[in-house]
Amino acid sequence: VKVAIGVNGRQVEAEVEDRLLLVHFVREVAGLTATNIGCDTTSCGACTVLLDGESVKSCTVLAAQADGCEVTTCEGLTGSDGRWHAVQRGFHAEHGVQCGFCTPGMIMAAVSLLAENPDPTVAQVRAGLEGNICRCTGYHNIVRAVLAAARDGRLPGGGSPAGAADPAEEPA
Amino acid sequence: MIPAPFTYRRARTVEEAVDLAAEAGDEGKFLAGGHSLLPLMKLRFAVPEVLIDIGRLAELSRHHDLEHSALLAAELPLLARAAGAVGDPQVRHRGTIGGSLVHADAASDLPAVGLALDATLVARGPSGSREIAMTDFFRGLFETALEPGELLTEIRIRRPAERGWSFQKFTKRAIDWAIVGVAVQGGRVALVNMDSVPARAGGVERALAAGDGPAAAAAHAAEGTSPVSDINASAAYREHLARVLTARALAEAASRN
């Protein structure tokens, strides 16, 4: 099947197998390897990317299903000026990283969470990241990192999370 | 893991989806959010030759949509609450209520909710549309009353006369399937993962109708069920959980009347 998928603002067109998974499209066709393949069973969240602004597990989406859509990976968060996204800064500042394997998925899940809820409580951060597993069990610093990003995103000039939406505009 | 080869077709309308399914015959399968089907295809438990993608149809409701619907929060809080308890945010961004019902996994939350809400389903096939009562829908393990080529197009739910509701789900981790779950709306009680099919708890409903209180009625929760024993729980433990969760659910529902 022929697909055209926007990846971090770049249009990637390719003739791919109908059964190609989006995560393989991102890694092998678009050549972006921040997105990791962990469990491959929709459990661990390591392969989380944004599909039209919402977090999805790219091991459980076909590339064909994403045809015509916009995918954002961890590489796509950094501005063209090299400035990190608020969530990337939060993970750096709070050391929300141990081995790092879950980190790109955690960051993308956090970006999606903050887009829907820019000012989450600790409990809301934990619930919002329930689909992402850190096998180093470094959850405390990850939660701190997301809360720091939420604070950072609200500061003037702090760079609001990508695709942040007014919660009042949530579709009914 | 990568699914076995198949041909991907995308439907732009319900009519086109039904036509594509008729063309594909027994080898076709509808793909909505894909969060039940694609994992099964990776494991070769499902090997359709043609996938008909209905994921772009405006008629679909994702769990995320239901979870955040102001209308449902006001009118059918049981459905909004249960939809928000499915999987995790990423799964809820893709999975749909229609997909969950037709997948007919007894361990899924929304089939039991559909039973507790006494929904009516509308299916469209090559020869037209027909209604199917929720109580007639689940026929066996992962088996429904849908004929080959029929597409679920509507889920009709009346505003409940009895407003009391509760949804209880016992899991090891937040993202897991229910080890046991209970959905209550008024006097209707349905169980998650207590049999090979999603089912109403008839003994509990009869006890409630006869005037029993929550605790006495809940003692009947495991009657007529045949839960599995697996790595998560023995059948006896599931029966115990069904009684405990039903008692909690009935008490909570009574407090909301």
Side-chain angles (χ1 to χ4, degrees), chain A residues 18-19 21 40 42-43 48 51 54-57 59-60 64-65 67 112 116 128 130-133 170 172, chain B residues 1-3 5-8 10 31 35 38 42 53 56 62 64 87-90 92-94 173-175:
Chain A
D18 292 17
R19 61 177 173 164
L21 299 168
D40 209 5
T42 337
S43 302
T48 299
L51 184 61
E54 294 179 321
S55 60
V56 302
K57 294 180 176 179
C59 76
T60 311
Q65 288 175 286
D67 179 36
S112 186
E116 291 179 20
E130 68 189 358
N132 292 72
I133 293 171
E170 195 68 47
Chain B
M1 289 177 291
I2 295 169
F6 56 83
T7 300
Y8 173 90
R10 185 183 302 147
L31 175 74
H35 274 52
L38 292 175
K42 289 182 175 187
D53 184 2
R56 306 279 174 103
R62 304 173 305 158
H64 180 261
D88 54 52
Q90 292 96 318
R92 296 195 290 272
H93 284 146
R94 297 294 295 171
R173 303 174 306 169
I175 68 168

Side-chain angles (χ1 to χ4, degrees), chain A residues 106 109-110 113 124-133 142-143 146, chain B residues 89:
Chain A
M106 283 285 182
L113 164 66
Q124 286 169 334
V125 171
R126 290 185 177 276
L129 297 180
E130 68 189 358
N132 292 72
I133 293 171
I142 291 170
V143 172
V146 178

Side-chain angles (χ1 to χ4, degrees), chain A residues 71-155:
Chain A
V71 171
T72 308
T73 71
C74 204
E75 291 99 330
L77 294 180
T78 305
S80 53
D81 58 356
R83 182 172 162 79
W84 287 354
H85 185 282
V87 176
Q88 293 173 309
R89 293 198 297 274
F91 272 72
H92 181 250
E94 297 294 333
H95 196 68
V97 176
Q98 287 187 26
C99 83
F101 192 83
C102 74
T103 308
M106 283 285 182
I107 287 178
M108 300 316 291
V111 170
S112 186
L113 164 66
L114 293 177
E116 291 179 20
N117 181 0
D119 189 19
T121 63
V122 171
Q124 286 169 334
V125 171
R126 290 185 177 276
L129 297 180
E130 68 189 358
N132 292 72
I133 293 171
C134 168
R135 219 48 315 174
C136 307
T137 71
Y139 295 105
H140 287 291
N141 282 2
I142 291 170
V143 172
R144 285 189 196 106
V146 178
L147 293 170
R151 287 193 299 274
D152 190 5
R154 287 196 307 276
L155 294 174

Side-chain angles (χ1 to χ4, degrees), chain B residues 60-102:
Chain B
L60 294 195
S61 293
R62 304 173 305 158
H63 306 318
H64 180 261
D65 304 326
L66 304 177
E67 178 187 5
H68 295 287
S69 160
L71 176 68
L72 291 183
E75 300 290 349
L76 290 172
L78 168 61
L79 181 53
R81 164 74 183 84
V86 174
D88 54 52
Q90 292 96 318
V91 170
R92 296 195 290 272
H93 284 146
R94 297 294 295 171
T96 67
I97 181 174
S100 180
L101 295 184
V102 303

Side-chain angles (χ1 to χ4, degrees), chain B residues 217-228:
Chain B
H220 300 277
E223 283 176 9
T225 63
S226 51
V228 294

Side-chain angles (χ1 to χ4, degrees), chain B residues 204 208 211-220 243 246-252 254:
Chain B
V204 178
L208 287 173
D212 281 4
H220 300 277
R243 288 186 288 266
T246 300
R248 288 180 193 168
L250 293 176
E252 186 173 55

